[in-house]
Amino acid sequence: MKLDRIGIGIDVARYVHWVQFVGPDKTPLRRPLRVPESSEGYRRLEQVLRQLYQHFGQPRLHVVLEEANVYGRNLRFFLQQLARQGLPLQITSHNPLAAKRYKQAFLQDQKNDRMDSFSEARFAVTEQPPPSTQLDPILETLRVLVSHLHALSKDLTRRTNRLRALLSLVFPELLPPRRRLSFSLLCLLARYPTAQAWAQADLHQLATFRPFPNGRPLGLPQAQSLQKSAQHSVGCLQNEALGHLIRSLCIELQHTLQLQRQLQKQIQTFYQQHRPNLLLTIPGVGPYTAAVLTAVIGDPYRFPTAAHLIGYLGLYPTDHQSGQRQGRKTLSKKGNPLARHALFLAALSASRCNPAIRALYLRQIERGKSPLCALGHCMRKLAAIILAVLQSGRPFDPNHFPWEAHGSPSSPERQPETEPPASSQEEDPLPTGPIPKGPSHSSF
């Protein structure tokens, strides 16, 4: 019996994967295969694939797996290796929501691992989806590092909020709403955790305390002001138990900050050693920013236009209006916060040294926009330039924006179609992101 295609559906799990094999008539070709996450399980899967390939006249093997987490990465790398060895495997990573809707349409309310894998195999045979981009070990490593840095940043925010809540009960005068919780202040709090400890501290030691050899001391005027506030603090809880808790939180925050800085250096070093790309040719984009954006964007061709990337990063205005109250229009809070922060710092630098971004920044200031609002425009344009550089494979050319160098809002004749995609758009204003419907980018 000769077949032209075999659909192979894989339900990915942490320890065991279930595999179904379906022919063109949507019927199983053999019983489901249970594949443990081990070398023995992978060897057994390879044997079955080669047996089916020989038995059914060398058909094309179309693998569809739902990869909603990291548990399927090892399996995908293994299947890619088999494809490089000559086995005609076409691998498609199925969108989890689309897989769920497809299973509900044809298998209704049945829910188990075998049915999930059968649904993926049926989808491979009937829909014949295109193959997914192959996983790159370097890019995957970079994405894991950036994901861990994101988790550290969220953990740092949670611990900081807990510490601020405790200080509002113990020594509220120490941290006004706009005062930043610096590393030096954490070291001071680890030594003097309560208002009572600040009030009883030696003033000279408090003023000259240095958290590290080259650190800046608190200074006598500020030490006197804080000690006076501590002596008359309105904090309602003054006891040793909360002092121990504040001290432990400060030590945890210091450790998390050190880990965060070390990981940032590690990400930058890994990127420069293994995956430097053309993003470094854009003035204002440094190694750390390029590393974070490379990991977050991943495959640049999954964004058909710059507007899709702008929407993905959340660089579009949102309204805050209810009834007669007219709130401010601000940037959306969607998107990866690490990428948004890195892009903001890059736009801040590019507004000084990048001719295209500098001209846009000055035009927005001339129109009466605030500096932060103008930087929002710069972030959008910089994202479009980054996507154009990644998709075209060409370095950034500052001479491609001759009208920007003179600060003129009018654009010259369009360049040939061989130029990067970002140049084929109106540079001011930029296209609105795909998510919002209504306000243009001039409403930042």
Side-chain angles (χ1 to χ4, degrees), residues 25-45:
D25 58 351
K26 307 173 191 174
T27 58
L29 299 177
R30 72 182 306 277
R31 60 189 179 189
L33 179 64
R34 185 176 181 272
V35 180
E37 182 73 3
S38 63
S39 58
E40 292 81 5
Y42 282 16
R43 280 199 300 268
R44 174 60 179 159
L45 175 60

Side-chain angles (χ1 to χ4, degrees), residues 184 208-218:
S184 302
T208 58
F209 175 78
R210 294 175 183 267
F212 34 87
N214 296 328
R216 182 179 178 182
L218 188 61

